[in-house]
Amino acid sequence: MTLLNIPPSLAWPAQFCAFVTAATWIASLVTGNVSQVDRLWTFLPTIYIAYYAFLPLFPQTQPFFLFPFTPKELGWRVATHFSPRALLMLVVVCIWMCRLSYNTYRRGLFRLSDEDYRWQVLRSTVSPWLFQFTNLVFISAIQNVLLLLLGLPAKTAALQVDTSLATSDYALAALALTLLLFEFTADNQQYAYHAYKHSYLARERDDTTAPYYNQTEHWVGSKLTWRLEDAQRGFITRGLWAYSRHPNFFCEQSFWWVITLFPLLAPSAPNFPSQSELPSLLTLTAFLSDPERRRALFEVMYDVSVPDFGRYQLLRTLSEDEFPLSAFLFVSVESILAYDGLPDDPDRRVIMVGDIHGMYRPLTRLLTKLDYNPNSDVLVHSGDFIVKGLHHHSMATLDFMALHNVTGVRGNHDQEVLEWRGWIDWINSSNEGMEWLKRMERNWRHIHDSRKSYDLDQFLNYQRHSASGSDKRWWKLIPAGWKFLSDPYRIARDMTKEHYEYLLGLPLALHIPSAHTFVVHAGILPSDPRYPYYDSKRQPLAHVPGLSRGASPNSVCSGSKDKLECMKRVREEQEVAILSSIPQNKHPWVLLNMRGVKKGKVFRKYKGTYWAKSWNKEMKLCAGYEGEVSLNGDSDEVEDERTSKRRALPCYPSNIVYGHSAARDFSPKRWSIGLDAGCVYGRKLTAIVLGGDMGLVNENDDEWTIEDEDDDDDEDDESDDEDDESDDTEGEEDEEVDSNKRRSKKHKDGDAIRFGVNHQAKIATVKCP
């Protein structure tokens, strides 16, 4: 199954289909009868639909081959809740199965010796090898795949978010039963006609053993008066057959169209997945040209899930014009060897500001203090610039950012607002959903205005548990963990299309190659914590891009005509690999929420080692491609508390600027700068200013010996866990105390700190009310 990249929802059906295909093909070779699939045709679609209808009955791991199971990837809801829609579809298809089985039985097609006459004709007209090829590919394989596809509408129904029955389900069930009634009548009329025809032909041959036709033995609706010309004609033209050349075939085709419509017309309709999400099994049947097969193939392309509200954009790379600050490529203790980029523009500055959280007034005071000029200065925020502050202040902050198209990254609260907006638009696409939203908002405003003590949680609990009828369906569509009518919801509801497009345009991380700097909200891991940092097969900083494993880093760009340009390109590729090659860094949750790392796992709490400490330690180990960077005075090794020696890495250090950690306050380290100073908790809004008259670091005063970190990152320090999951202020006093404990170094407004290799930045702060 892994080879074909089959999704979990198709794991068992595909396994069972492959087994039946092999079994029927082998049986056809052993018996010489190729009608093995025909005998199973009436049962297989029912089996597949029954599997999806009864998903909660099966274990999550398969105890043995062919035993049905419900993969854990389908989620807790699917594994514990029956889908009424899938069960209704099963009931209807079971009636279809009974009709087809009865018709097959009375025609004698269940006899093992019976073979469809069309296969006999084909066998007599083609060569033996071509017939066996047709037997394998079409009769056994393709027919079984088609029968699997007929059951896939039940998959769509079982995986839908809202599976409660709606008006469309009852209407479609009634239509399906009506079609089955007409099909059953057409079958009976055809059977009665052939009984009369064979009786007539037997009498013509003077066959006295043939039974006489008895009209009373047949079903109601098929007791037609047959004439001699009917028997002589050879095919039926009375009853339903007078209106259609094949009424039973018409009803059969229409029946499966109706089955398809059950999930498509449901209130929670499916979404189309991207091409990459389609199972490779589709390539096996893509060539089918029959309309019914195309329809069945179309169904497997549905993947029922809540729409993608996240709309993530992982990375945006800034040019030197967008971030007018260049950096030296590398330095040695003696001198700067090469300069990377154009000289900085003295008339342009970069202002990087920490988490604003809707504190619009402190933001305006800070920008006024810095004499911010949007025409020449580049303003960059570290995410979480809305939510938690006053609602109208968050809206004003969002309006300012969108109006000036301020550069920045998404924070976890910004992401929450963006996802709520996607959800609101989804619900509003239904008139019924739009009315429900308006009614809930109206009810909350009325209760909140009349009973100030009645909080939102009480209101939501009451409304959810007292909901009846169609309201239950809408409550079920709120994703788990989302707080309806909260401040993020209200911001999402009130923001304009321009605001929404601005949020969508924010990436999870910024990369500035000219300054060798990343900007992210929560953090980025320098290496995969599950493996040693020096593992050259897994860690991007442990090997030079483009070099074979084991090759000396000294050989990088050795054959290049422009070695400096080549090394710039290699260094940029290695920096990008930090995001693209480390699995955790490709997960949006990590970039938006990470604080602690312990035993190879990432945590939102300050648990284990703070990620920025790992970042700084590993950047200190970067010794360059030619060993030209000195590491604390050692040419190739650095002492470490966990091992006797630390291995140098073939890389150059990168700087990272981040927010998200108000409990740690403003935190400038050698290769990382934490900007969140807890403005929303009444402390300060902090920014750093680069460029302008700040100039370069004086290398004579501070040679390239990487300054020591203040080791305030204790293992398992969970006491400073910021209460960042809700809108209330519980835990702020503890956060303030913990933050004060950490301020071993005071950084005052106007102080200069080192930024990257050769620049310095000025600290700018304003107090927050």
Side-chain angles (χ1 to χ4, degrees):
M1 299 306 165
T2 303
L3 181 63
L4 291 175
N5 192 29
I6 293 176
S9 59
L10 287 174
W12 183 84
Q15 182 186 99
F16 184 76
C17 179
F19 172 79
V20 174
T21 299
T24 52
W25 179 64
I26 293 173
S28 70
L29 297 179
V30 172
T31 63
N33 187 328
V34 298
S35 284
Q36 307 301 326
V37 178
D38 297 343
R39 296 180 179 85
L40 300 177
W41 193 280
T42 183
F43 306 109
L44 290 177
T46 311
I47 291 174
Y48 293 124
I49 292 176
Y51 166 75
Y52 289 112
F54 296 141
L55 280 174
L57 296 180
F58 306 131
Q60 290 190 323
T61 57
Q62 190 173 35
F64 53 84
F65 181 65
L66 288 184
F67 194 92
F69 68 104
T70 305
K72 60 182 179 181
E73 291 88 349
L74 297 184
W76 173 85
R77 183 190 60 79
V78 173
T80 56
H81 290 73
F82 288 97
S83 167
R85 183 168 297 111
L87 290 171
L88 177 59
M89 294 169 67
L90 176 61
V91 171
V92 174
V93 172
C94 282
I95 298 173
W96 167 87
M97 179 187 69
C98 293
R99 179 208 64 81
L100 183 58
S101 298
Y102 171 74
N103 199 45
T104 304
Y105 169 77
R106 66 180 176 180
R107 293 171 59 193
L109 298 180
F110 281 142
R111 290 193 300 266
L112 297 180
S113 60
D114 185 87
E115 185 180 62
D116 193 311
Y117 74 93
R118 288 167 294 189
W119 304 139
Q120 298 174 8
V121 172
L122 181 64
R123 185 188 283 110
S124 65
T125 57
V126 300
S127 60
W129 71 265
L130 182 56
F131 179 80
Q132 289 303 325
F133 177 81
T134 304
N135 177 29
L136 172 62
V137 175
F138 178 77
I139 301 176
S140 296
I142 291 181
Q143 287 197 113
N144 269 295
V145 170
L146 290 175
L147 292 170
L148 167 60
L149 297 179
L150 290 178
L152 292 186
K155 174 184 85 76
T156 305
L159 301 184
Q160 280 177 306
V161 176
D162 180 22
T163 61
S164 57
L165 297 180
T167 304
S168 61
D169 297 305
Y170 297 112
L172 290 171
L175 179 57
L177 294 177
T178 301
L179 289 169
L180 289 179
L181 178 61
F182 277 98
E183 187 173 9
F184 182 69
T185 302
D187 287 340
N188 292 332
Q189 290 176 353
Q190 186 181 40
Y191 184 80
Y193 167 76
H194 282 291
Y196 173 79
K197 182 179 73 171
H198 290 307
S199 175
Y200 169 81
L201 294 176
R203 292 198 304 273
E204 287 288 302
R205 298 191 304 267
D206 296 325
D207 184 358
T208 58
T209 62
Y212 281 87
Y213 175 75
N214 186 355
Q215 188 183 61
T216 61
E217 294 177 351
H218 296 277
W219 286 84
V220 175
S222 62
K223 298 177 181 181
L224 303 177
T225 302
W226 306 106
R227 301 185 180 94
L228 292 179
E229 57 263 34
D230 293 324
Q232 294 169 348
R233 185 185 307 107
F235 56 89
I236 182 174
T237 59
R238 294 183 180 275
L240 293 176
W241 299 78
Y243 305 98
S244 171
R245 179 64 185 87
H246 242 306
N248 50 1
F249 183 77
F250 171 81
C251 291
E252 179 75 2
Q253 299 290 306
S254 300
F255 174 84
W256 289 107
W257 275 107
V258 170
I259 292 298
T260 302
L261 291 175
F262 272 85
L264 296 183
L265 297 184
S268 177
N271 300 288
F272 292 96
S274 65
Q275 181 66 29
S276 62
E277 294 173 324
L278 300 180
S280 299
L281 187 61
L282 288 182
T283 59
L284 203 63
T285 55
F287 66 93
L288 300 178
S289 58
D290 183 85
E292 174 62 20
R293 294 172 185 171
R294 288 202 305 267
R295 180 207 57 79
L297 183 62
F298 181 77
E299 288 307 308
V300 80
M301 298 171 63
Y302 285 98
D303 185 18
V304 181
S305 60
V306 174
D308 175 23
F309 302 133
R311 309 279 296 276
Y312 296 109
Q313 179 187 160
L314 179 62
L315 180 66
R316 177 188 170 193
T317 301
L318 299 184
S319 65
E320 289 187 50
D321 183 63
E322 294 172 308
F323 195 95
L325 187 76
S326 300
F328 294 105
L329 177 62
F330 52 85
V331 297
S332 67
V333 175
E334 294 80 14
S335 62
I336 297 172
L337 299 182
Y339 186 67
D340 181 13
L342 301 173
D344 298 336
D345 187 343
D347 297 325
R348 300 188 67 192
R349 299 177 300 170
V350 176
I351 302 172
M352 309 182 79
V353 62
D355 298 27
I356 302 167
H357 280 296
M359 303 297 286
Y360 181 67
R361 288 176 179 171
L363 173 63
T364 55
R365 291 204 309 271
L366 177 65
L367 296 180
T368 300
K369 177 179 178 178
L370 293 174
D371 195 20
Y372 167 66
N373 183 352
N375 295 320
S376 58
D377 295 330
V378 175
L379 181 61
V380 180
H381 64 76
S382 61
D384 273 6
F385 61 94
I386 50 178
V387 184
K388 287 199 171 184
L390 295 175
H391 177 76
H392 64 285
H393 285 182
S394 282
M395 297 306 300
T397 304
L398 177 57
D399 191 61
F400 172 83
M401 297 294 178
L403 179 64
H404 296 284
N405 195 25
V406 174
T407 302
V409 293
R410 293 188 200 179
N412 54 305
H413 290 289
D414 310 326
Q415 182 66 30
E416 188 178 1
V417 170
L418 193 150
E419 291 176 358
W420 268 121
R421 178 56 176 262
W423 183 88
I424 292 171
D425 289 346
W426 180 50
I427 297 298
N428 280 335
S429 64
S430 162
N431 290 332
E432 185 181 355
M434 184 187 303
E435 290 302 319
W436 175 77
L437 278 183
K438 291 180 179 179
R439 181 162 27 88
M440 289 299 104
E441 292 177 6
R442 187 166 57 248
N443 291 348
W444 167 239
R445 285 195 301 269
H446 174 73
I447 292 178
H448 183 63
D449 292 343
S450 59
R451 300 171 60 184
K452 297 294 185 182
S453 61
Y454 198 71
D455 64 25
L456 181 58
D457 289 329
Q458 290 176 296
F459 171 79
L460 295 177
N461 288 334
Y462 174 78
Q463 292 291 331
R464 182 185 294 272
H465 291 99
S466 63
S468 60
S470 61
D471 278 7
K472 287 185 176 180
R473 179 171 70 253
W474 300 111
W475 281 104
K476 290 178 181 178
L477 295 181
I478 300 176
W482 291 28
K483 189 173 183 180
F484 186 40
L485 301 178
S486 60
D487 189 42
Y489 169 89
R490 291 185 292 119
I491 294 174
R493 177 200 61 198
D494 294 343
M495 66 184 182
T496 65
K497 179 182 177 182
E498 290 72 22
H499 295 158
Y500 184 43
E501 290 176 350
Y502 172 74
L503 281 178
L504 285 174
L506 293 177
L508 298 178
L510 294 171
H511 179 219
I512 306 103
S514 59
H516 307 300
T517 296
F518 292 97
V519 181
V520 69
H521 177 61
I524 298 174
L525 291 171
S527 60
D528 188 337
R530 299 172 297 176
Y531 307 104
Y533 71 92
Y534 50 82
D535 187 337
S536 61
K537 293 182 179 180
R538 296 184 175 94
Q539 311 292 15
L541 296 182
H543 69 273
V544 180
L547 287 186
S548 59
R549 305 294 181 186
S552 172
N554 295 339
S555 61
V556 64
C557 297
S558 57
S560 176
K561 294 182 180 180
D562 190 342
K563 186 173 183 180
L564 176 59
E565 186 64 29
C566 174
M567 294 186 74
K568 286 170 55 180
R569 186 171 60 253
V570 171
R571 180 177 183 181
E572 180 177 348
E573 184 178 344
Q574 191 175 39
E575 289 175 350
V576 172
I578 295 175
L579 277 174
S580 63
S581 299
I582 298 174
Q584 296 85 345
N585 290 341
K586 293 188 286 186
H587 198 299
W589 185 91
V590 172
L591 304 187
L592 291 170
N593 295 278
M594 175 175 62
R595 288 193 179 100
V597 181
K598 185 176 183 180
K599 296 181 179 179
K601 295 182 179 180
V602 175
F603 295 91
R604 191 180 185 282
K605 294 184 176 182
Y606 296 98
K607 188 174 184 179
T609 301
Y610 188 52
W611 72 268
K613 184 175 183 180
S614 299
W615 179 278
N616 280 280
K617 282 186 176 180
E618 294 189 28
M619 292 303 157
K620 287 168 61 177
L621 297 173
C622 287
Y625 298 150
E626 299 178 349
E628 68 275 18
V629 178
S630 173
L631 305 173
N632 283 355
D634 296 333
S635 60
D636 57 358
E637 294 176 328
V638 178
E639 294 287 341
D640 181 75
E641 64 273 14
R642 291 171 292 180
T643 59
S644 58
K645 295 291 182 181
R646 295 281 278 180
R647 304 186 191 184
L649 297 173
C651 57
Y652 295 97
S654 300
N655 206 40
I656 189 166
V657 180
Y658 64 95
H660 189 59
S661 295
R664 304 183 67 84
D665 205 11
F666 177 64
S667 180
K669 305 295 183 184
R670 182 62 189 89
W671 297 109
S672 68
I673 299 177
L675 291 176
D676 190 357
C679 180
V680 74
Y681 301 110
R683 300 206 295 270
K684 293 180 180 180
L685 181 63
T686 301
I688 57 172
V689 183
L690 301 161
D693 59 356
M694 289 305 300
L696 303 177
V697 172
N698 187 335
E699 295 293 333
N700 294 325
D701 295 336
D702 184 8
E703 292 185 346
W704 179 290
T705 53
I706 299 177
E707 62 192 53
D708 294 333
E709 301 288 335
D710 49 339
D711 294 325
D712 58 0
D713 303 306
D714 298 327
E715 295 287 319
D716 291 319
D717 184 3
E718 300 182 46
S719 61
D720 56 359
D721 180 25
E722 177 188 351
D723 182 17
D724 206 8
E725 290 289 350
S726 63
D727 294 320
D728 57 38
T729 57
E730 180 182 352
E732 291 179 18
E733 293 181 1
D734 292 337
E735 186 178 4
E736 178 70 30
V737 171
D738 293 325
S739 180
N740 285 331
K741 289 180 181 178
R742 294 185 180 277
R743 297 171 191 164
S744 57
K745 289 185 178 180
K746 291 284 188 179
H747 295 91
K748 302 184 299 296
D749 181 52
D751 283 355
I753 60 172
R754 193 162 187 173
F755 184 91
V757 174
N758 56 300
H759 280 89
Q760 54 185 343
K762 182 173 69 175
I763 302 171
T765 66
V766 293
K767 292 184 178 180
C768 300

